[in-house]
Amino acid sequence: MNAIIVSALLGVVMMFAGIVLKKTAQIQGVAILGILALLGTTLVDLNLVGADTKTFYNMIELNAVTAWFNVLITFCALAYFTLFSKAIAAVGKNDSDYFALLFFVMCGVYLLSTYSNMLILFLGIEILSIPQYILAGSDKENIKSNEASLKYFLMGAFSTGILLMGITLIYGATGSFDIFSEGFIAQFQSSAALNTMSFAGVLLLIIAIGFKVSAAPMHFWTPDVYDGTPTAFTPFMATIAKVSVFVAFIRLFHLSFGNVSNDWQTAIAVMIVLTLLIGNLTAVYQQSVKRMMAYSSIAQAGFMLFAIYSLNNLAWKGLILYSVAYTLASLGVFAVLIKMKDYTYEGFNGLAKKEPVMAATATICLLSLAGIPLTGGFFAKYYVLSAAVEQGKWIGIVIFAVLMAAISAYYYFRLIRSMYFAEGEAALSYTPSSLEKTFLLINALLVILLGVLPGIL
Amino acid sequence: MLIVLLILVPLIGGLLAMLLPEKMAYPFAMITSVSTLVIAAVSYMQYTQGAELIIDHNWIDIVGARFHVGLEAGDGLAVLMMMLTAIVFPFIFISLRNKQPEKVNTFYSLMLFAQAGLMGVFLAKDALLFYVFWEVALIPVYFLSSMYGGPRRIPVTFKFFVYTFAGSLIMLVAILLIYRHAPIRSFSWDSFVSIGQAMPASEQTWLFWMMFIAFAIKMPVFPFHTWQPDAYEQSATPVTIVLSAIMVKMGLFAVVRWLLPVIPLGSAQWMNVVIMLSVISVVYASCMAIVQTNIKRMIAYSSIAHIGLMCAAIFSHQILGMQGAAIQMFNHGITIAGLWMMVGIIEHRFGTQDMREMGGVAKVAPLFTIGLVVMSLANIALPLTNGFIGEFMMFNGLFKTVSPYHTLFTVFAGLGIILAAVYTLTMIQKVAYGPENTKTASFTDLTMNELVVMIFFVVMILVLGFYPKLLMDLIYVQP
């Protein structure tokens, strides 16, 4: 709960840091100190669990799971800042503003993981999205970046409208915004009690939130936006921002709409199948690694949707493990990608010979994304699929998902092939320092650690 | 504790081999693999004296997975496979002494990782742990086959990888579906067996095929075999040895440990179909082997034929047949490893895999020819070589199968023996005898390290051929 305030304040601090500090290295230093402070704050918040879990007029509810999620997601943000701070500052002139915007996104993340009121859900999604619209367009002289920003903004505005419509309908049916209020509980206690108005509201919420997590068929913005956005910000949008919307998703649908799951599970199941199919099959045909990662993030969202689909404890555990494993692995791949001159597969040819550390860490992260055992990605997939099997409704989609995972191995291994087995002169845009390589290695080791002992989360 | 070292020693050895200076990599890998062999030998001694070697430790509490590896009474097959894994690696390394691969650090560390993964597969007693090792063994082999070998190695290995990866993911779903029935969350073998006993036959059908396809791809059995000849041909010989001597045994081992006891009704219901596929494998692969001119492809097809017979014998559901298959799994590993090393020498000296360009080796390299002939005879399962006893028991079991087609199966599988003689003897004739050519003149006889390897394998073949009781005692079960 303190994290919400601290992150917003840090955003303001970063804005002023740009005026006071002139050297970009200092600004980066302040940003990393800031995210460390934020990590400390979330750790302090862990102690608040149990004492008085509801604050801000009962609009925010912190429980053990979400407090822990906040710590982990802030840790991921720390990993992002350490791996990318140089690249963020290099995007344009307003380096302190970029960091400020990232801190504002973090504020949205905390709102989304702890809301107990639909208004805060709406606020959270907006606070999360608006800075992202700006970040997408931060490379002002690049037409693709401008296109990404405009596209993201227009599509995002539509989904906001749909989200508001959903919230309004549910408010009309229940008479309350509070997801723990009596009106809510009465309306959503069983399928019989559910009236048409709130059912329509639930479906609209699925569409709006599905848009934010880029679930098919609301995924069309994703490849263009992720591709056009400066590479320094794409990983942040694809990982930290995305998984926190997933936590908002599971919170609302498990805690409030859990009893009427029969009415919405079919919709989620259809989304899972479409997302996995479109994400994986389209990723196969990409020639640019950055675009492949964009489609891969759609495909990975398909797996995370299993956590929404399955109403059990394992789903929560699975989503959190998936969030962290997916985030760290994607960050690892993007951190290598951003140092390349040519983003196509051919651009990676021969990287293993030139920069063995970069190639090795990227390989570990790709193995994790493909879900190979002894990397975090395996247990992440395992947990969510296992939760879906425990749910038991349609086993078929689990088998389908597994086949899609096999397809995903194709395009992840294609990159490994380029790096290790193809001849070429992988041209780097700049050679990373040994400190940066150390961070890459630590990141890869964390991915393996999650794969050996997933129980630590 | 000892039993964990079997996995840990090669694993840590592999990590260190990556970091050591280039000159140190080979001796270090040698030391690591020999110490693994010593540990395996000690484990074997303790096991035969009746000790139970088990490590059972909490791993992932929330799903009930445990780090459970071990050798208990009745795990004779696991002991055999463990010994095979421990024996083959040091001898691969010895044979490489005078022809070191490029990037030695990477090569030896990946080899040791593969050994660790294979050990884990054979020792795991927890289904999730088994799955993890199953995949972990694949990754280093994928890299090895892609980095070393023929010009087409990269696409070929990729096919191999995608095949096996897809298969094992389907197996993972099957594991999940069985696990769902566990009264308390557990992946232990015992829990899986008791679930399997109680499961209705209709559900077992699906589970059977989901698991069998994964194992059949690995073995490989017709019609899942298409990756295999290409992969064997294109991989470098040391990697081919790992693939064909040990890795394909993973499939057979998994059938014995994780399929027959866990899904008994499904296995019984579909045994005729599986035996039919296996017998087709035997006949088809033998015929394919006869027409090959590439020596590596020929042995690859011969390997499919042998594996097919083992698979048929395992599914005969006869104790004799299954014991025969167990013995043959070990013996085939020894024979084929030796044979591949000989082929590796041929390929290295002749600079080609084409048998039409070879000939007359017997005159210039008598020692080599002795080794090649003994190993080839063991491959045909001639009496007094190690291949004979297992094959005899397997046919016996196959003939006793409770199936209306048992005679048909046995007759067609029996064709495999005759065909094996045809292609193996043709190979000897083409390589060792016949007219000499220019390349033969430069064919030097075995060097010291190759001689050591050759003598070891020949001695193993003869000793196990004369005295198979060494193996029989391990897997003997009161009928």
Side-chain angles (χ1 to χ4, degrees):
Chain A
M1 285 173 268
N2 295 326
I4 299 171
I5 301 164
V6 173
S7 57
L9 283 178
L10 279 168
V12 177
V13 168
M14 283 314 298
M15 283 160 73
F16 284 102
I19 302 170
V20 179
L21 303 169
K22 290 296 165 211
K23 279 185 184 161
T24 172
Q26 289 171 330
I27 292 170
Q28 289 172 37
V30 172
I32 289 177
L33 283 180
I35 199 83
L36 276 170
L38 202 52
L39 183 61
T41 318
T42 54
L43 283 168
V44 171
D45 281 353
L46 266 185
N47 297 326
L48 294 177
V49 176
D52 182 15
T53 51
K54 288 197 177 179
T55 45
F56 299 120
Y57 307 99
N58 288 341
M59 286 196 192
I60 295 285
E61 187 246 22
L62 192 73
N63 61 28
V65 180
T66 49
W68 183 226
F69 172 80
N70 282 351
V71 174
L72 293 172
I73 202 73
T74 316
F75 180 80
C76 292
L78 174 66
Y80 168 73
F81 272 56
T82 45
L83 287 170
F84 290 90
S85 65
K86 224 176 179 177
I88 296 170
V91 170
K93 285 175 192 156
N94 316 316
D95 43 0
S96 63
D97 295 351
Y98 305 145
F99 288 110
L101 289 167
L102 291 171
F103 278 112
F104 289 135
V105 176
M106 288 312 289
C107 181
V109 168
Y110 301 129
L111 286 175
L112 284 178
S113 66
T114 53
Y115 71 93
S116 68
N117 190 303
M118 302 270 262
L119 284 177
I120 303 289
L121 168 70
F122 177 74
L123 273 180
I125 286 196
E126 286 306 290
I127 294 178
L128 185 86
S129 303
I130 293 169
Q132 287 189 65
Y133 303 148
I134 307 170
L135 289 174
S138 54
D139 189 1
K140 285 185 221 159
E141 277 149 37
N142 185 341
I143 187 121
K144 275 179 91 180
S145 177
N146 285 316
E147 182 202 335
S149 182
L150 187 63
K151 207 170 216 171
Y152 197 13
F153 174 69
L154 286 178
M155 303 285 262
F158 267 108
S159 88
T160 301
I162 294 170
L163 179 71
L164 266 183
M165 191 68 205
I167 292 176
T168 316
L169 287 178
I170 290 175
Y171 178 74
T174 61
S176 170
F177 285 122
D178 189 343
I179 63 172
F180 298 117
S181 67
E182 281 173 17
F184 244 75
I185 294 167
Q187 180 63 230
F188 293 109
Q189 63 184 351
S190 68
S191 293
L194 191 72
N195 64 26
T196 318
M197 190 150 76
S198 44
F199 178 59
V202 170
L203 288 184
L204 287 175
L205 282 177
I206 289 182
I207 293 170
I209 302 178
F211 173 87
K212 290 292 171 194
V213 299
S214 67
M218 286 80 75
H219 68 282
F220 289 100
W221 59 276
T222 317
D224 289 342
V225 171
Y226 284 5
D227 198 16
T229 303
T231 316
F233 300 126
T234 312
F236 190 80
M237 289 160 68
T239 59
I240 293 162
K242 188 187 244 184
V243 299
S244 56
V245 180
F246 263 110
V247 170
F249 207 163
I250 196 172
R251 228 179 126 74
L252 190 61
F253 279 72
H254 282 203
L255 295 182
S256 301
F257 304 156
N259 291 332
V260 294
S261 61
N262 277 331
D263 294 288
W264 52 261
Q265 257 175 339
T266 320
I268 301 280
V270 171
M271 272 164 67
I272 290 176
V273 171
L274 283 177
T275 311
L276 286 172
L277 189 73
I278 293 171
N280 282 304
L281 289 188
T282 326
V284 167
Y285 294 103
Q286 299 309 314
Q287 296 307 319
S288 152
V289 175
K290 194 176 174 187
R291 240 183 136 72
M292 178 276 277
M293 286 302 288
Y295 280 105
S296 126
S297 94
I298 298 177
Q300 302 279 352
F303 278 98
M304 283 188 261
L305 280 173
F306 272 109
I308 315 293
Y309 168 80
S310 329
L311 291 152
N312 46 41
N313 270 336
L314 203 56
W316 282 87
K317 280 266 175 197
L319 184 63
I320 287 180
L321 181 62
Y322 210 115
S323 305
V324 178
Y326 162 68
T327 302
L328 291 181
S330 296
L331 290 181
V333 176
F334 274 110
V336 172
L337 174 75
I338 199 168
K339 297 181 179 64
M340 308 302 296
K341 226 175 210 150
D342 181 2
Y343 285 173
T344 60
Y345 283 98
E346 284 71 36
F348 281 77
N349 285 357
L351 184 66
K353 238 178 223 159
K354 204 167 175 187
E355 289 288 343
V357 175
M358 275 168 70
T361 54
T363 303
I364 291 169
C365 292
L366 287 166
L367 291 179
S368 176
L369 289 173
I372 305 285
L374 289 194
T375 59
F378 167 68
F379 281 109
K381 281 203 173 64
Y382 175 78
Y383 273 36
V384 291
L385 291 181
S386 178
V389 169
E390 207 173 301
Q391 177 68 25
K393 213 167 179 179
W394 294 296
I395 300 297
I397 55 172
V398 176
I399 296 171
F400 177 77
V402 154
L403 291 176
M404 288 298 131
I407 291 181
S408 80
Y410 174 82
Y411 52 82
Y412 293 129
F413 272 75
R414 192 173 159 203
L415 187 57
I416 297 179
R417 274 168 67 174
S418 292
M419 291 191 295
Y420 278 89
F421 313 133
E423 296 294 325
E425 283 296 314
L428 298 179
S429 55
Y430 76 95
T431 316
S433 65
S434 50
L435 183 69
E436 281 173 283
K437 283 185 191 168
T438 318
F439 283 135
L440 280 175
L441 269 178
I442 293 172
N443 184 52
L445 286 177
L446 285 173
V447 169
I448 291 181
L449 180 70
L450 285 179
V452 180
L453 296 169
I456 53 174
L457 290 194
Chain B
M1 198 55 225
L2 200 60
I3 200 84
V4 178
L5 287 182
L6 283 172
I7 301 167
L8 276 186
V9 167
L11 189 69
I12 295 170
L15 277 176
L16 291 176
M18 184 120 44
L19 303 172
L20 284 174
E22 235 172 66
K23 270 185 188 166
M24 297 286 290
Y26 176 71
F28 182 76
M30 199 67 234
I31 293 168
T32 311
S33 64
V34 170
S35 10
T36 313
L37 179 57
V38 171
I39 298 166
V42 175
S43 314
Y44 167 77
M45 302 287 272
Q46 291 192 356
Y47 178 80
T48 48
Q49 283 157 10
E52 296 204 326
L53 307 154
I54 297 169
I55 289 279
D56 190 359
H57 198 273
N58 284 6
W59 181 32
I60 311 167
D61 291 330
I62 176 169
V63 293
R66 301 180 67 78
F67 187 84
H68 187 179
V69 292
L71 296 170
E72 297 164 67
D75 285 348
L77 182 61
V79 178
L80 281 179
M81 290 296 104
M82 180 270 289
M83 284 307 290
L84 181 67
T85 314
I87 290 171
V88 168
F89 276 87
F91 284 95
I92 295 177
F93 292 168
I94 293 176
S95 78
L96 286 174
R97 217 186 95 89
N98 57 348
K99 37 179 186 279
Q100 291 292 347
E102 290 169 32
K103 290 181 269 183
V104 275
N105 293 64
T106 321
F107 179 82
Y108 287 108
S109 92
L110 287 173
M111 284 296 260
L112 290 172
F113 283 146
Q115 190 183 21
L118 289 163
M119 282 288 186
V121 169
F122 297 132
L123 297 176
K125 289 256 171 179
D126 180 285
L128 195 63
L129 191 65
F130 165 78
Y131 179 81
V132 166
F133 280 123
W134 176 275
E135 291 284 10
V136 164
L138 177 65
I139 300 297
V141 172
Y142 166 73
F143 276 95
L144 279 169
S145 316
S146 300
M147 283 184 187
Y148 305 95
R152 286 194 303 121
R153 64 183 187 275
I154 293 166
V156 160
T157 312
F158 199 55
K159 181 178 172 188
F160 158 62
F161 176 79
V162 171
Y163 254 62
T164 44
F165 187 60
S168 40
L169 281 172
I170 297 172
M171 168 174 81
L172 179 66
V173 178
I175 291 176
L176 274 175
L177 291 175
I178 300 171
Y179 164 75
R180 188 166 61 132
H181 293 282
I184 41 163
R185 290 181 163 174
S186 167
F187 283 98
S188 76
W189 186 78
D190 300 319
S191 143
F192 268 47
V193 171
S194 57
I195 293 167
Q197 305 287 350
M199 199 184 282
S202 55
E203 205 178 338
Q204 294 206 0
T205 295
W206 284 106
L207 290 175
F208 172 79
W209 282 106
M210 287 166 89
M211 290 182 98
F212 180 72
I213 286 178
F215 303 151
I217 291 172
K218 204 79 159 192
M219 283 186 223
V221 167
F222 179 89
F224 305 105
H225 67 282
T226 53
W227 62 268
Q228 194 252 32
D230 285 338
Y232 282 17
E233 179 200 330
Q234 290 294 323
S235 302
T237 308
V239 185
T240 315
I241 298 174
V242 175
L243 273 172
S244 78
I246 313 173
M247 240 181 141
V248 298
K249 307 296 188 302
M250 278 164 63
L252 292 164
F253 175 83
V255 168
V256 177
R257 159 86 49 100
W258 292 102
L259 189 58
L260 295 188
V262 174
I263 309 178
L265 294 177
S267 312
Q269 189 186 349
W270 292 102
M271 71 184 235
N272 281 325
V273 178
V274 172
I275 296 179
M276 189 187 78
L277 289 177
S278 312
V279 172
I280 293 175
S281 282
V282 174
V283 178
Y284 167 78
S286 301
C287 294
M288 288 299 284
I290 291 175
V291 297
Q292 298 305 317
T293 52
N294 182 311
I295 189 163
K296 287 186 102 169
R297 279 188 94 81
M298 189 221 89
I299 296 184
Y301 277 112
S302 120
S303 185
I304 299 182
H306 283 103
I307 297 283
L309 182 58
M310 289 178 228
C311 184
I314 286 170
F315 275 93
S316 71
H317 284 74
Q318 297 295 315
I319 287 186
L320 201 58
M322 292 167 79
Q323 287 177 337
I327 291 179
Q328 190 69 350
M329 278 162 73
F330 182 82
N331 282 329
H332 179 257
I334 295 289
T335 312
I336 204 84
L339 202 52
W340 278 120
M341 282 179 199
M342 292 293 135
V343 171
I345 293 170
I346 294 175
E347 192 192 352
H348 191 239
R349 308 258 159 99
F350 275 118
T352 174
Q353 299 176 353
D354 194 335
M355 282 191 280
R356 288 169 300 190
E357 295 175 31
M358 304 173 186
V361 172
K363 273 187 195 142
V364 287
L367 283 173
F368 168 82
T369 311
I370 294 172
L372 181 69
V373 169
V374 173
M375 284 162 199
S376 303
L377 293 182
N379 200 35
I380 320 175
L382 207 70
L384 293 189
T385 62
N386 62 349
F388 172 70
I389 180 69
E391 199 143 308
F392 176 75
M393 288 164 75
M394 287 196 290
F395 276 111
N396 211 322
L398 198 54
F399 192 66
K400 283 190 189 154
T401 311
V402 188
S403 152
Y405 316 110
H406 65 113
T407 321
L408 212 60
F409 288 152
T410 319
V411 168
F412 274 99
L415 275 179
I417 308 184
I418 305 167
L419 296 174
V422 174
Y423 58 73
T424 315
L425 295 176
T426 314
M427 184 268 286
I428 293 182
Q429 187 212 332
K430 280 181 183 162
V431 174
Y433 303 101
E436 294 171 50
N437 58 29
T438 46
K439 282 178 182 165
T440 317
S442 60
F443 196 100
T444 47
D445 209 347
L446 298 179
T447 56
M448 201 55 194
N449 63 321
E450 289 164 354
L451 191 64
V452 170
V453 175
M454 190 274 270
I455 290 177
F456 172 79
F457 280 106
V458 167
V459 168
M460 283 288 275
I461 285 169
L462 294 178
V463 167
L464 294 175
F466 275 99
Y467 193 66
K469 193 167 177 296
L470 281 174
L471 303 176
M472 309 273 268
D473 284 349
L474 266 181
I475 45 111
Y476 182 72
V477 189
Q478 197 70 41

